[in-house]
Amino acid sequence: MTDLMARLRAGYGAGPRHLIVVTAAIVLAGWVALRVAGEATAGRMLLWFLGAVIAHDLVLFPAYATADRVLRALVRPRAGNRVALLNHLRVPTLGAALLFVVYSPGILRLGETTHLAATGQDQRPYLVRWLLLSAALFLLSALTYALRALPRGRQSSGKRSERA
Amino acid sequence: MSTNRPGPSTGGTDAPAPDAEGYGAPRRFWRALDRHRPPGVDAADRSWRSPLRGPWLTAVYGSVLLVALPLVIVTGLLDYAAYGPRFDQAFPSDVGWLRLPTFDWPTRPSWLFRVTQGLHVTLGIVLIPVVLGKLWSVIPKLFNWPPARSLAQVLERVTLLLLVGGILFQIATGLLNIQYSYLFGFDFYTAHYFGAWIFTGAFVAHVVLKLPRLISALRSRPLGAELRTPRAETRPEPPDPDDLVAARPGPATVSRRGAVGLVGGGALLLAALTVGQSLDGPLRRTALLLPRGRQPGPGPNGFPVNRTIAAAGVRPEQTGPGWRLMLRGGGRTVTLDRPGLLAMAQHTAALPISCVEGWSTRQTWTGVRLRDLAALAGVADPAAARVSSLEQAGLFRTAVLAPNQVLDPDSLLALRVNGVDLSPDHGYPARVIVPALPGVHCTKWVAEIAFQGRADD
């Protein structure tokens, strides 16, 4: 028995529990895929499934990582800096971007007719609301930055950086 | 201390390296793959800068998902059960054994569906920043070379594709559905239901393989101490067997507390802008970016509509004085007009109407008890009731009610709401309202109710 296990580990690369759970997950997915394969729109579903991974891993992530590098190059955080301007730009930017990603169907007015049929209303207000919310995030961040940066002149240098 | 093990490992503590270098069979193939490094992989390896990436941060995000995602999965399955698979009216209808055991969806507590679907949608939205944070924390592994050192790692990578594709697919289709934007061009129910099973299988596998790693990572750095460490004192974690820690980390621009706070703050922001669609009163408006934060108008009928009369294609003359309600049961047919219904015993109940798209609202409905109508049709002990709308084309133009849903004392054919007649968009001349029943089965513009007796089975 132990010999069999050792051979499994050497050949397969992991123990029996690993083999069982990954096989189960793949078999389940395959069974579901077979079930869905009969649908006329199965190809589209597959496209969206793989497209979602590509959109996140190869578009969204590189985009925000690059944007952050550009931002860091522009706003160089100094070692002894008590308050990081960088983070006061990052946080509202990420907040606005998050809201955009989650609520983009309304903001970009994708689906006017179905929205109208369901609710009896159009999608017009969302863009302005998102812009106002984003502006509020930046304003709030700017205010806290000012409040944190202000007393610096009166304090002795070399204090602990950052607070809650 | 097995930190000298190269490359991604395959899972839990029960899976030691197959050999000293970590290659499975055939070893020559995996070793050759490892040695043939395509251009760019070394540059990519060096480009990971964040000193925050590491088992601890991944485990913190992972533990939130470990607790919360099962709730989303279970409430999603309960929503499917609430649609009544027994009457073939849950979509998709042919799911084999991929569902909860069949049971009659209860009518009590009346807020049951309000809570299950509200939790499913709200929690699903609130977890988006956690999912994005978790993916950020592990993304270097996507670009690791070699991509695998054994068959075990190949299969695990396949399950990771199912895991990541599954969660992103569920998030995308769910978000588009609740905002009525059907860009994807396939049936939402089919895609979201089967997508959920693919995700759930991969999620279970991932938890089984990674739970020991998650626990050891959480234990490696006490949470309280980590949350007190400021940015200036934030250091990378020691190199880990999963290669999450960057080979050449830069200085920290955010503390781990900051990274956890950022994701938590994003979740709170989404929660603040989403819960409003499940609340009544002035807080409803806080769902600023969602369709159900807005009220369609003032007055007693000014609460959200799920389908307008115009969209349903019901013409005004169909709902005028010529409208008749047909009751069928046991060979008998009874026809009633609206004054006739108003002359029957009226009952008033405050009941929520809740939609699978995540919004709900509690209103005060007045009308005739469904069980009184069943008795009038001569079926005092019904096995089911099929309610049909004047609507000709919609997916939900008919709905079947289970016996408990017909017999509940608060189950009504509502004629009035909040003291006035129903508005055309809310189903005038008459609509069904049943405690804890999904909104789409609370049929509007009712034309006929066919009660099926126990003997007719």
Side-chain angles (χ1 to χ4, degrees), chain A residues 119-122 125-126 129, chain B residues 114 276-287 290-305 359-363 418 426:
Chain A
T119 67
Q121 295 168 320
D122 62 35
Y126 304 125
R129 288 178 181 187
Chain B
R114 186 178 206 186
Q277 63 170 355
S278 302
L279 303 173
D280 287 312
L283 286 177
R284 187 162 202 99
R285 278 197 229 158
T286 56
L290 281 171
R292 301 320 184 159
R294 298 151 78 194
Q295 300 289 29
N301 271 290
F303 56 93
V305 174
W359 62 274
S360 55
T361 177
R362 200 168 93 120
Q363 306 292 335
N418 301 321
H426 282 304

Side-chain angles (χ1 to χ4, degrees), chain A residues 11-25:
Chain A
Y12 170 68
R17 189 171 64 158
H18 187 284
L19 181 61
I20 290 166
V21 293
V22 296
T23 308

